[in-house]
Amino acid sequence: MNKYHGRSTTVLRPRNTKEVSEIVKHCNERRIGIVPQGGNTGLVGGSVPIKDELVISLGNMTNIRSFDDASGILVADAGCILQSLSDYLAPHDHIVPLDLGAKGSCQIGGNVSTNAGGLRLLRYGSLHGSVLGLEVVLPDGTILDQLTTLRKDNTGYDLKQLFIGAEGTLGIVTGVSILAASAPQASNNVMLALPTFDNVLPLYREVKRQLSEILSAFEFIDRRAYDLAVKHGQGRALNESDVEGAECFVLVETSGSKREHDEEKLNTLLENLMEAEPSLINTGVLASSPAQFASLWAIREGLTESMSKEGKAYKYDISVPLHKFKEVIDTTRDHLQSKGLMRDDAVKHVVGYGHVGDGNLHLNVVADAYTPEIESALEPFVYELVAKYKGSISAEHGIGVMKTHALPYSKNAVSIEVMKRIKHLFDPNGIMNPGKVLEL
Ligand SMILES: Cc1cc2nc3c(=O)[nH]c(=O)nc-3n(C[C@H](O)[C@H](O)[C@H](O)COP(=O)(O)OP(=O)(O)OC[C@H]3O[C@@H](n4cnc5c(N)ncnc54)[C@H](O)[C@@H]3O)c2cc1C
């Protein structure tokens, strides 16, 4: 995002857990701050030093430790890139239960540490469910070996859960045991163009009802976001006639075990949608080849990148009730307009897209430059809006350094106090990713 900059002079790239442990012990004894770094694709500045902390990159820890194709349990070093795990699992007919646009760079340890949601959460649930065990180097250098491959283990506190989404503030994840899913034998997708946002919810109900167990993604893209993706060359643009009059789009993916069965369901859904009076959709573009399947996904997956290419993006990754998605986008735009900031040399676009199935909206405000004026117009405005709808200020990207001040909008005082006590228990010297999640 080019938004956060530290002054670190040193990056260490350990090759194994023992080396991580030795470095951390050394740092703890000398009170040297540490920033664990995975693929550095995080969007809230969590992997960037604030001052001159030592950066520990996990990029050299890329061994796959074991895979059992009967249970589907994969154990891997934290530095494995998500895409390489997917490539490893493909010949074994399995997939990682997690997929996101940054898969070519992000690491499984980073995914766990941010509790990344992504495009498959609707189908496979969150990492709090699919991660079975972790190996973690604690802030004093102790190796906590919880790398279990058990699906069921009710022996007291489930310690691994604390590190999932801790953003490197409680320790360094060095190994991950995760339940891979059977690879679907048939996947398909369709981009639906909707005349109005009001149709998104009824459409979601209908799609769930008709596709049921084969529905694997339901992604929302508003018209401005779609136009920016196309402008910056993400995926192949739909035909003019398909996008004409569309206020927003929904990308639906199916994954199942029998192609004919799934195609029949998807075709019937499309027919029913087109024939309904009034129709919920203008049109639907069904992928007819693997290339088109990839191209439709590329539009969705390329949105983050296209925002960065268009300008400086203020990113709000929020959970709000589904029926409030559009209201949040429109209210934010109106607010910036009333402040006189909706102009080419200030805020160029206010767009929204996200994982409808998870109630997760990515509100992006794309500006010519990051300025204090825009920031003070947006914050706490956006956070107050989220709090009003009893939402979350961070649905999946985390708190990092970007949102520490805003934590009270989503966590009450007692919860924050308990978080501080946990942090102190694990890291009494405050060396582990200082200033992230909790303010210094
Ligand atoms: C194009 C694009 C699309 C994205 N889509 C999604 C999406 O759909 N869903 C989503 O949730 N996020 C998404 N993200 C955000 C980001 O990719 C995720 O947060 C990802 O999980 C971060 O992984 P990483 O390895 O890059 O971690 P980094 O960015 O390196 O680090 C993220 C945080 O985790 C900590 N950390 C990293 N590795 C470790 C470790 N081994 N042990 C302890 N702490 C560690 C860091 O200190 C930091 O606080 C997207 C980002 C981009 C650029």
Side-chain angles (χ1 to χ4, degrees):
M1 293 172 75
N2 202 21
K3 197 172 176 189
Y4 305 102
H5 306 272
R7 287 180 282 105
S8 297
T9 55
T10 312
V11 181
L12 295 184
R13 295 167 58 83
R15 284 159 299 195
N16 54 49
T17 305
K18 190 164 170 285
E19 286 186 1
V20 176
S21 161
E22 282 164 5
I23 296 167
V24 173
K25 188 165 180 290
H26 176 95
C27 290
N28 190 45
E29 284 164 5
R30 289 159 184 78
R31 310 288 191 266
I32 298 170
I34 292 172
V35 178
Q37 196 171 83
N40 209 13
T41 67
L43 298 171
V44 289
S47 55
V48 182
I50 291 180
K51 295 180 185 152
D52 57 356
E53 299 91 305
L54 173 77
V55 176
I56 299 189
S57 161
L58 278 291
N60 270 341
M61 292 182 57
T62 56
N63 288 326
I64 291 176
R65 301 192 193 180
S66 66
F67 176 64
D68 175 353
D69 63 2
S71 63
I73 296 168
L74 171 75
V75 182
D77 280 358
C80 290
I81 289 178
L82 184 58
Q83 180 67 60
S84 34
L85 290 181
S86 297
D87 294 345
Y88 171 84
L89 288 173
H92 298 282
D93 258 345
H94 278 76
I95 58 168
V96 188
L98 170 79
D99 189 21
L100 52 149
K103 60 184 156 221
S105 314
C106 66
Q107 301 174 2
I108 192 70
N111 301 146
V112 167
S113 301
T114 53
N115 186 24
L119 307 163
R120 289 187 180 147
L121 192 133
L122 179 69
R123 178 68 165 267
Y124 300 108
S126 94
L127 290 173
H128 280 293
S130 51
V131 170
L132 302 178
L134 291 178
E135 178 188 78
V136 183
V137 172
L138 300 177
D140 65 357
T142 305
I143 299 170
L144 174 71
D145 182 356
Q146 292 245 316
L147 210 49
T148 167
T149 51
L150 304 172
R151 298 244 0 224
K152 297 176 103 176
D153 176 18
N154 268 354
T155 50
Y157 307 138
D158 190 358
L159 297 177
K160 69 171 183 290
Q161 298 296 353
L162 275 176
F163 302 95
I164 301 175
E167 302 180 55
T169 58
L170 299 180
I172 302 187
V173 175
T174 49
V176 177
S177 160
I178 188 166
L179 185 63
S182 291
Q185 299 305 308
S187 290
N188 211 340
N189 62 10
V190 57
M191 186 72 89
L192 303 171
L194 281 67
T196 157
F197 174 82
D198 296 339
N199 290 2
V200 174
L201 271 190
L203 180 69
Y204 184 41
R205 266 189 223 109
E206 203 46 37
V207 168
K208 273 201 296 188
R209 195 177 67 79
Q210 292 197 38
L211 295 181
S212 179
E213 80 290 349
I214 63 166
L215 175 64
S216 53
F218 189 97
E219 295 288 314
F220 162 72
I221 307 171
D222 80 7
R223 178 59 189 263
R224 286 180 175 86
Y226 168 85
D227 289 340
L228 287 179
V230 168
K231 178 176 168 190
H232 293 288
Q234 310 293 333
R236 236 192 37 226
L238 307 180
N239 293 332
E240 267 307 310
S241 55
D242 291 325
V243 294
E244 203 187 320
E247 188 176 81
C248 59
F249 300 86
V250 165
L251 179 63
V252 173
E253 185 195 62
T254 62
S255 306
S257 57
K258 196 161 182 216
R259 180 164 299 282
E260 304 77 49
H261 165 266
D262 297 359
E263 276 176 6
E264 191 185 324
K265 270 187 152 183
L266 199 52
N267 284 326
T268 311
L269 168 75
L270 273 180
E271 274 165 31
N272 292 347
L273 288 174
M274 297 297 283
E275 280 165 14
E277 257 323 313
S279 177
L280 291 174
I281 59 169
N282 287 349
T283 178
V285 179
L286 185 63
S288 56
S289 65
Q292 203 179 5
F293 175 85
S295 172
L296 291 182
W297 263 123
I299 296 174
R300 169 63 188 89
E301 292 187 313
L303 287 169
T304 308
E305 202 175 313
S306 49
M307 301 305 144
S308 306
K309 286 185 175 163
E310 180 69 10
K312 299 291 181 198
Y314 290 89
K315 292 183 168 297
Y316 297 96
D317 144 55
I318 56 185
S319 280
V320 284
L322 297 184
H323 61 280
K324 297 292 181 194
F325 271 30
K326 183 161 188 299
E327 200 171 310
V328 168
I329 303 166
D330 290 348
T331 311
T332 306
R333 191 180 298 114
D334 292 348
H335 173 71
L336 291 167
Q337 184 90 53
S338 73
K339 299 262 176 198
L341 288 168
M342 290 300 300
R343 25 172 243 266
D344 261 2
D345 62 340
V347 175
K348 300 199 269 189
H349 312 279
V350 179
V351 309
Y353 54 93
H355 317 293
V356 168
D358 319 331
N360 177 189
L361 172 69
H362 293 311
L363 172 70
N364 278 235
V365 175
V366 186
D368 192 44
Y370 294 125
T371 69
E373 198 190 6
I374 299 174
E375 188 154 338
S376 61
L378 284 171
E379 294 176 25
F381 178 82
V382 173
Y383 298 133
E384 283 170 357
L385 205 55
V386 172
K388 186 171 125 193
Y389 299 136
K390 301 205 181 328
S392 168
I393 59 153
S394 178
E396 59 177 10
H397 294 161
I399 298 297
V401 67
M402 177 182 169
K403 298 177 191 164
T404 49
H405 65 289
L407 199 55
Y409 288 100
S410 289
K411 285 266 188 294
N412 61 33
V414 175
S415 306
I416 293 176
E417 182 51 33
V418 174
M419 283 170 67
K420 284 182 178 164
R421 278 192 234 158
I422 292 172
K423 167 75 178 168
H424 186 73
L425 178 73
F426 280 89
D427 184 19
N429 297 325
I431 62 154
M432 203 49 84
N433 217 357
K436 312 294 168 54
V437 180
L438 293 164
E439 280 181 317
L440 278 175

